[in-house]
């Protein structure tokens, strides 16, 4: 097989695999959202917005795991004291947890649920909190420090796809209040409505691998 034929087959395999991958992503069981700094408010934490993500995982039996992840930032000493949840979706949850789930948290995170509360600067984003998770003052280091993760398991009414639709439509939003920024400042963030995409290089690589496997199986069937 000459070089051009090999290259053509690899390209076709990559396209086939990428198509399979993209089609399968519609049934994804894990989606990640970034956070955006709230415009028109404090700018103290603008540079750190990309350090936080909201990981949403379908764990089955009508349960979804939400994880607030704070990236490692050794030069900083900030912490997320409060997570606010705005839920205007008609029927997103059948029940919500009273505390974070220790088995799906990383670090000394200890948070309790309270109703109401106002996300600082949230008015600039039209954010109206339904409930919040605040640090447990009886536990040392209970806020989400850099390098830590807080996990919460919610029971949902609809399926996972409808929950993701609520997040991408802005009917369900998570807000973070970050404290202990340089100079004693604080800042707030709201999750983006656009999921974090798989890097293009990763899509092409995985797609090519999947396509090559498909092409290999097809070749064997033809030979048989």
């Amino acid at each position: 097989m000459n070089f051009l034929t090999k290259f053509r087959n690899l390209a076709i395999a990559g396209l086939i695999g990428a198509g399979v991958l993209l089609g399968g992503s519609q049934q994804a069981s894990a989606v990640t959202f970034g956070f955006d700094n709230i415009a028109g408010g404090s700018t103290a934490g603008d540079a750190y917005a990309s350090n936080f993500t909201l990981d949403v995982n379908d764990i089955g039996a009508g349960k979804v795991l939400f994880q607030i992840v704070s990236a490692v930032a050794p030069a900083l000493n900030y912490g997320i004291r409060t997570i606010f949840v705005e839920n205007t979706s008609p029927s997103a949850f059948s029940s919500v947890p009273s505390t974070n789930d220790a088995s799906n948290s990383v670090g000394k995170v200890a948070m309790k649920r309270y109703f109401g509360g106002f996300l600082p600067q949230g008015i600039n984003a039209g954010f109206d909190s339904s409930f919040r998770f605040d640090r447990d003052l009886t536990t040392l280091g209970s806020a989400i420090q850099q390098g830590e993760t807080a996990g919460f398991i919610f029971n949902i009414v609809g399926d996972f796809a409808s929950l993701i639709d609520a997040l991408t439509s802005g009917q369900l939003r998570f807000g973070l209040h970050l404290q202990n920024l340089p100079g004693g400042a604080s800042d707030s963030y709201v999750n983006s409505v656009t999921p974090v995409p798989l890097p293009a290089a990763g899509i092409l690589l995985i797609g090519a691998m999947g396509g090559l496997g498909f092409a290999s199986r097809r070749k064997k069937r033809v030979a048989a």
Side-chain angles (χ1 to χ4, degrees):
M1 184 183 295
N2 61 37
F3 173 78
L4 289 177
T5 301
K6 288 181 179 179
F7 182 81
R8 182 196 63 189
N9 289 346
L10 178 61
I12 292 172
L15 290 172
I16 293 172
V20 170
L21 178 67
L22 291 174
S25 69
Q26 301 302 312
Q27 303 299 322
S29 59
V31 181
T32 295
F33 295 85
F35 280 89
D36 298 321
N37 189 256
I38 297 175
S42 172
T43 60
D46 286 14
Y48 312 120
S50 62
N51 288 6
F52 312 108
T53 58
L54 170 65
D55 294 347
V56 189
N57 299 275
D58 183 1
I59 58 177
K63 298 180 182 295
V64 170
L65 169 65
F66 291 89
Q67 290 178 300
I68 304 294
V69 182
S70 178
V72 174
L76 298 167
N77 191 38
Y78 57 54
I80 299 171
R81 172 176 175 169
T82 315
I83 301 166
F84 295 84
V85 182
E86 178 191 51
N87 179 29
T88 58
S89 174
S91 57
F93 307 125
S94 59
S95 65
V96 297
S98 58
T99 63
N100 65 292
D101 183 79
S103 65
N104 288 292
S105 299
V106 176
K108 299 179 179 180
V109 181
M111 308 189 88
K112 292 183 176 181
R113 188 192 73 220
Y114 300 88
F115 287 99
F118 297 94
L119 173 66
Q121 307 171 48
I123 190 172
N124 294 331
F127 192 100
D128 186 10
S129 168
S130 303
F131 56 90
R132 72 188 191 278
F133 294 97
D134 213 334
R135 62 178 179 171
D136 182 351
L137 296 176
T138 65
T139 302
L140 183 65
S142 56
I144 307 172
Q145 310 295 334
Q146 53 92 6
E148 294 187 335
T149 297
F152 304 86
I153 296 177
F154 288 69
N155 290 296
I156 62 174
V157 174
D159 58 16
F160 186 71
S162 65
L163 181 73
I164 297 303
D165 286 344
L167 284 161
T168 57
S169 68
Q171 290 183 306
L172 174 62
R173 295 194 292 176
F174 284 72
L176 308 180
H177 185 213
L178 185 69
Q179 294 185 309
N180 296 327
L181 287 166
S186 65
D187 212 341
S188 298
Y189 311 89
V190 174
N191 69 274
S192 169
V193 297
T194 305
V196 176
L198 183 68
I203 291 176
L204 291 177
L205 176 60
I206 297 173
M209 293 174 66
L212 285 173
F214 175 85
S216 176
R217 290 192 299 271
R218 182 176 182 276
K219 183 177 179 180
K220 289 179 180 179
R221 286 198 301 269
V222 171

